[in-house]
Structures are given as structure tokens and as C-alpha cells.
Amino acid sequence: MNRKYTYEDLLEIIRVLRGENGCPWDKVQTHESLKPCMMEEAAELLASIRIYDQTGNPENMREELGDVLLQVVMHAQIASEEGLFTMADVVDEISRKMVRRHPHVFGTGNADTPEQVLTNWEEIKREEKKDKDWIESPLREIPRELPALTRASKVLKRIDKYYEGGSTYEQNVDGLIRSAEALRACRSDTCSKELEQIMADMLLKLSDIARIRKISQEQVLTDHIEDLIDRYEKPKAGDSESK
């Protein structure tokens, strides 16, 4: 086949795979069962961007973008079968959102800097969601499915913005020193629950420091893990001669 498949072809392929004579695996998938697939494909897409930055080769990124799109189309097809919405509804929804949240481009709004764009975006988003019955509070709105470090940063940022009682850099450092002393004292196997609480408190304080100093904790930890791997995997002097 010489012609390129189209977006419409992809929708039809997924419909057939989910149909009566389709694939046994695809037919039994649900929104819930596909959750790990979406998480894995999103991570692989991030990896492909790193590979592109390192090599300049976009082949892997093109493939992984397709895998993420596949997950979106699968969820939309399942929703269509359930009578909830269609892929056309998904496309319409995101298109309306982009127009609505960019009044400086599609309307009469004004935003001269990226920072102002983000400020306007958050204000419009807050106005859109204020009457949604599934949103319990500004803090509960942040998905618990996020990686814990990322979620902590977002929750702490909201606390600082919407509530009183946020901690300063100095307060967090002082708290870490106290927690470190408690950690030193908790050497017995009988205090495992206390140890968990101390570690959780320290991680949260470190997250708050990262928020205050605008540091990406996920990125710095990822980079440090890579340094750790390099430290153990790089051949030592003399290794090549001994083989």
C-alpha cells in the first residue's frame, strides 16, 4: 500500500478492532484496564523526546506520539460504544478550550508575555471549573494519579496561593534538621511506622523547598539517578585490559 493512512483510517481501524470480528484483546479493554497503558506510553513519549534531543533523530518520537494517540482513540471508541461521547466530541472540546483560553489570539484579550498568558489561562480555567460537581476543592482537583513528587509540588503551590499558613524556605530547612535528628533516633525495627511518617514529612519539606526555589524535583532526581547509574556502569580503569 503506497498511500498514507489518514486520521479517519485510524478511527476505522480501532472501530474494527473493537468490533464483533475484531481482536480478542482489544475487544475486552475498558477505560480502567487501559490506564497503565496510557501511563507507559506517556513515559515512552517523554523518553523519545530525550532521545531526539540527544540524537536529532525524530523516528522514535513519531512512533511514540502515535502510541499516545492510539490510547486517546481507544478511550474515545469505548466511550462511543457506551453512548457517552465520540472522538469528534473530544476534538470539538479541545478546540473550543484552546480558543476560549487564548482570548489574546482569538478574542479581545491582552497578553504580552508568557507569564501573563499563564496567569490568564489559570483565571479562565478557574472560572470554567467553578460549577463542576466533580471538583471538591482547589487541592482535591489535583489528580492523585500524578507521581507523588509532582503532586506534592502542585498541592503546595495551591496552598501557598489559596490558603494561609504556607511554610517559608527557612522553616522547611529547620524542619528538615529536626526530622533528620528524629530519623537518627529511629534505629529500631519496632518504629517502622514512625520512620515512614518522618520520611514522608521530610519529602514534603523538600518538595516545598523545590517549589519555593522553582526547582523541578522530578528532573533533579532523574538526573541524579542517571549519575548514579553512570557511576556503577561506567567501566573502571583496567577493565578492558583484564578481558
Side-chain angles (χ1 to χ4, degrees):
M1 183 177 181
N2 293 323
R3 78 174 184 87
K4 281 192 173 183
Y5 285 101
T6 66
Y7 169 73
E8 287 72 22
D9 290 331
L10 175 61
L11 300 185
E12 179 62 15
I13 289 168
I14 301 305
R15 188 192 67 78
V16 172
L17 288 173
R18 291 277 303 175
E20 182 179 353
N21 299 315
C23 170
W25 186 88
D26 290 285
K27 288 196 294 185
V28 298
Q29 298 312 303
T30 65
H31 295 300
E32 188 68 25
S33 72
L34 288 173
K35 284 167 64 176
C37 298
M38 177 63 87
M39 292 178 65
E40 181 177 337
E41 298 301 351
E44 291 182 357
L45 173 58
L46 295 180
S48 76
I49 295 171
R50 171 175 50 80
I51 291 169
Y52 170 68
D53 287 340
Q54 293 172 345
T55 67
N57 188 334
E59 181 179 350
N60 185 236
M61 183 164 62
R62 181 182 64 214
E63 178 185 350
E64 298 303 339
L65 280 167
D67 288 344
V68 172
L69 178 59
L70 169 61
Q71 294 302 311
V72 174
V73 174
M74 279 285 285
H75 280 286
Q77 176 60 33
I78 294 170
S80 178
E81 295 163 7
E82 295 171 341
L84 302 176
F85 53 80
T86 67
M87 190 65 197
D89 294 325
V90 174
V91 172
D92 179 70
E93 178 78 18
I94 189 59
S95 298
R96 290 178 183 275
K97 179 186 289 186
M98 289 300 97
V99 171
R100 191 168 60 243
R101 294 192 184 178
H102 291 83
H104 54 289
V105 177
F106 299 106
T108 57
N110 182 47
D112 297 324
T113 66
E115 292 74 21
Q116 185 60 51
V117 170
L118 291 177
T119 298
N120 293 347
W121 178 284
E122 288 300 323
E123 290 177 355
I124 296 169
K125 179 179 178 180
R126 188 161 56 250
E127 184 66 22
E128 290 171 352
K129 296 193 172 186
K130 68 178 183 180
D131 296 324
K132 305 296 185 182
D133 55 11
W134 63 82
I135 298 176
E136 303 174 52
S137 72
L139 301 184
R140 292 292 179 189
E141 179 186 0
I142 300 169
R144 66 178 63 187
E145 289 80 7
L146 284 171
L149 290 176
T150 299
R151 187 180 182 215
S153 180
K154 289 181 175 293
V155 167
L156 289 163
K157 184 177 180 180
R158 292 273 178 101
I159 288 174
D160 187 59
K161 185 172 183 178
Y162 296 112
Y163 301 89
E164 295 181 359
S167 299
T168 64
Y169 180 91
E170 290 75 15
Q171 288 170 333
N172 281 306
V173 172
D174 291 343
L176 281 170
I177 294 171
R178 291 192 297 271
S179 294
E181 289 302 320
L183 192 65
R184 185 191 301 275
C186 190
R187 297 182 178 183
S188 170
D189 291 341
T190 61
C191 67
S192 58
K193 287 295 182 184
E194 182 182 355
L195 180 61
E196 289 178 8
Q197 185 58 47
I198 294 170
M199 290 177 63
D201 186 64
M202 293 181 77
L203 287 168
L204 203 57
K205 285 181 169 59
L206 286 169
S207 294
D208 208 19
I209 288 173
R211 174 193 66 82
I212 292 168
R213 290 297 176 90
K214 300 188 185 325
I215 296 171
S216 170
Q217 342 173 50
E218 297 283 355
Q219 190 60 57
V220 295
L221 183 56
T222 296
D223 292 343
H224 202 61
I225 291 170
E226 287 300 310
D227 291 341
L228 180 65
I229 292 172
D230 286 343
R231 194 185 315 157
Y232 282 90
E233 289 194 341
K234 281 184 177 178
K236 298 177 182 178
D239 279 359
S240 58
E241 289 82 358
S242 63
K243 291 181 181 178

